[in-house]
Amino acid sequence: SNSDILLNVNGIEVIYNHVILVLKGVSLQVREGSVVALLGGNGAGKTTTLRAVSNLLAGERGAVTKGSIELRGERIDKLSTADLVGRGVIQVMEGRHCFAHLSIEENLLTGAYTRRDGKAAVAATLEKVYNYFPRLRDRRATQAAYTSGGEQQMCAIGRALMAKPKMVLLDEPSMGLAPQIALEVFEIVKDLNQREGVTFLLAEQNTHMALRYADYGYILENGRVVMDGAASLLSENEDVKEFYLGMG
Ligand code: ATP
């Protein structure tokens, strides 16, 4: 039914620097409580799609020039990133973006800056984040600069969780991580989805890993959705196998 669609991206075009047309009419839906993967190679438009949803294009000299974006039926494409955070939509950017000179715990606490429900509630969320990411508890006092890539990715996701999000937009969670650590991150994403009800829209070049954890996938090529379907069906699809799973 339409009522359980949390995010509806409807035919968006995105142009960078007034001239470079990068998204050529992308449509996608994210059901409440699901994990949806945006797949495709380098430059296909995955990051741009996430930036369009979280309204982070302006800083990149980009703009949505056509189409609409709705959260539970409400237009959000004119809302600021801060307003989106207030509505529970949080983006974890590619490359992780932890504050290098802050400790892991200080980084996590920056994620709670918009909350108005008091210190005890924030402390309870912090405890929960540490339960999901025991590595972060161990490293709580360490400056982010001195932690591993995997720990920084976990810190970035943990920081998003500190805002108590409804939906997390996750850009390339496996990027730069050893396969075992990337798996660990995806396991936690799935856990957060199933136990906390957090909805995820994630961009990922590692098709195999993403389809293992996602419910549904969209494949982007050159700024267009060329295929979409249930993750289990996509991973069985011959074209997907040939072009994205390296076993054609
Ligand atoms: P990647 O995994 O490399 O990030 P992607 O699928 O996320 O790939 P995007 O980053 O969305 O792709 O890039 C889509 C296209 O837009 C690419 O051709 C890229 O060169 C271009 N692009 C991205 N950011 C900008 C920008 N700030 N200005 C101009 N062009 C850009």
Side-chain angles (χ1 to χ4, degrees):
S1 75
N2 268 350
S3 62
D4 58 2
I5 291 179
L6 182 59
L7 178 73
N8 183 21
V9 174
N10 185 20
I12 58 167
E13 275 189 9
V14 169
I15 295 182
Y16 283 114
N17 293 315
H18 304 291
V19 288
I20 311 164
L21 179 64
V22 165
L23 296 190
K24 303 163 183 170
V26 167
S27 296
L28 62 90
Q29 281 84 41
V30 179
R31 287 188 183 281
E32 179 125 39
S34 67
V35 177
V36 173
L38 272 179
L39 307 166
N42 236 313
K46 305 181 297 296
T47 298
T48 300
T49 303
L50 295 186
R51 280 183 187 150
V53 173
S54 53
N55 207 342
L56 286 168
L57 282 169
E60 304 291 327
R61 299 184 51 78
V64 177
T65 51
K66 257 190 204 162
S68 63
I69 305 172
E70 293 164 7
L71 188 72
R72 285 204 195 83
E74 183 203 1
R75 287 285 291 260
I76 57 167
D77 39 295
K78 299 283 182 285
L79 296 184
S80 69
T81 303
D83 285 336
L84 289 167
V85 171
R87 282 172 173 71
V89 178
I90 314 277
Q91 175 150 1
V92 177
M93 282 186 281
E94 186 175 343
R96 302 182 270 274
H97 296 278
C98 290
F99 299 109
H101 58 288
L102 296 185
S103 70
I104 290 294
E105 184 152 303
E106 287 164 343
N107 266 285
L108 292 174
L109 290 172
T110 64
Y113 74 104
T114 54
R115 288 175 57 176
R116 296 285 174 269
D117 51 353
K119 275 190 172 175
V122 170
T125 309
L126 183 64
E127 186 56 28
K128 201 172 216 173
V129 168
Y130 283 144
N131 289 338
Y132 276 99
F133 297 100
R135 278 164 179 270
L136 295 184
R137 192 194 301 276
D138 298 339
R139 306 287 266 156
R140 67 202 294 170
T142 306
Q143 271 186 40
Y146 299 107
T147 63
S148 69
E151 287 160 351
Q152 287 181 36
Q153 181 63 274
M154 292 174 190
C155 179
I157 298 171
R159 187 174 61 188
L161 296 173
M162 291 301 296
K164 290 188 147 190
K166 275 261 127 223
M167 176 161 70
V168 175
L169 310 168
L170 199 52
D171 201 359
E172 299 277 355
S174 81
M175 193 181 64
L177 304 185
Q180 191 48 44
I181 304 295
L183 270 180
E184 207 176 301
V185 169
F186 269 98
E187 284 290 337
I188 295 167
V189 163
K190 197 68 195 167
D191 253 19
L192 288 164
N193 170 250
Q194 290 179 340
R195 289 159 54 192
E196 309 294 329
V198 180
T199 301
F200 284 90
L201 175 60
L202 57 92
E204 184 54 70
Q205 280 198 42
N206 187 334
T207 308
H208 186 71
M209 200 173 289
L211 288 179
R212 213 171 124 180
Y213 288 93
D215 300 302
Y216 202 88
Y218 289 86
I219 300 182
L220 286 177
E221 265 176 30
N222 197 18
R224 289 193 171 86
V225 174
V226 293
M227 203 186 300
D228 68 289
S232 55
L233 292 179
L234 285 181
S235 49
E236 294 300 312
N237 181 286
E238 293 304 324
D239 290 335
V240 175
K241 283 187 192 172
E242 182 175 348
F243 294 112
Y244 297 103
L245 295 172
M247 46 192 181

